[in-house]
Amino acid sequence: MMFRFCRTGIPAALVALLAVELGAQQDPSVKLRVAQGFEQAGEWERAAQLYDDLVRSDSVNYVYFDGLRRSYVQLKRYDAAVDLVRSRLRKNPSDPVLLASLAGLWYDAGREGAADSTWNSILEREAKNPGLVKLIASSQIERRLHDRAIQTFLRGRTASGNPVLFSEDLGLVYS
């Protein structure tokens, strides 16, 4: 007997069986497990559909939100991901982690100016926060914006008054 495997080696029949189980039972925890199974199988469109249902039923659940955001990114539906993050920002407009995510999505969507503006606005308020500086620089590095990441680290170092802060990070980016 031959099994058709998805990209991750999970038998497609198993994923289909989970989907059938979902139809019979609308429990959000089951729906979440099925959506996560679709993610692992690389079935991003199906995962996005389930995560969208979950977000509609519980808009404050971060796990559902993040699953839908990841699915949109994998599908290169950056505008949908931007809209999703912006809707979450309406509840907490100054959340620097969401703003940093939004900046990265804007860059991915080809809106470099909006991305830079958002990263800079976060740094204006949070440059003394090493975790956020590192988060922004990591987002820039992911997008191969090494010069910007270096400037972000240096800006954080200056704001903190610590001349050795981010030394290892800078060394890695420079190399």
Side-chain angles (χ1 to χ4, degrees):
M1 174 181 249
M2 288 201 49
F3 289 103
R4 185 177 142 239
F5 287 87
C6 297
R7 282 183 246 162
T8 60
I10 298 172
L14 178 62
V15 174
L17 182 62
L18 288 172
V20 169
E21 180 183 350
L22 175 66
Q25 193 175 10
Q26 291 298 315
D27 179 18
S29 64
V30 172
K31 227 179 212 186
L32 175 63
R33 284 194 304 272
V34 174
Q36 290 168 333
F38 282 138
E39 267 190 275
Q40 290 175 353
E43 299 286 336
W44 293 104
E45 191 64 49
R46 289 180 173 175
Q49 291 170 352
L50 291 175
Y51 281 126
D52 186 52
D53 290 344
L54 289 166
V55 167
R56 288 177 197 272
S57 69
D58 183 359
S59 64
V60 297
N61 187 309
Y62 186 82
V63 173
Y64 301 165
F65 157 80
D66 197 44
L68 184 55
R69 183 196 56 76
R70 279 192 314 271
S71 297
Y72 283 157
V73 168
Q74 289 297 318
L75 293 166
K76 298 190 183 332
R77 292 173 52 190
Y78 301 119
D79 290 337
V82 164
D83 291 342
L84 179 69
V85 172
R86 290 177 84 183
S87 71
R88 189 138 181 127
L89 277 167
R90 284 187 203 108
K91 295 171 187 135
N92 188 3
S94 60
D95 183 328
V97 175
L98 280 177
L99 287 168
S101 174
L102 180 62
L105 290 169
W106 271 333
Y107 187 86
D108 294 341
R111 297 179 59 195
E112 191 173 324
D116 283 336
S117 175
T118 305
W119 280 322
N120 285 326
S121 72
I122 298 167
L123 288 170
E124 285 172 13
R125 289 176 295 174
E126 304 282 348
K128 289 184 180 181
N129 181 333
L132 280 173
V133 170
K134 204 166 195 166
L135 176 70
I136 292 168
S138 293
S139 179
Q140 293 165 333
I141 291 167
E142 277 179 42
R143 289 156 181 87
R144 298 185 179 169
L145 303 171
H146 298 104
D147 291 339
R148 289 185 198 164
I150 289 167
Q151 292 307 310
T152 298
F153 281 131
L154 293 175
R155 187 172 176 179
R157 175 187 278 184
T158 300
S160 75
N162 182 348
V164 295
L165 187 63
F166 305 121
S167 294
E168 285 184 37
D169 300 294
L170 282 163
L172 288 172
V173 178
Y174 279 124
S175 68

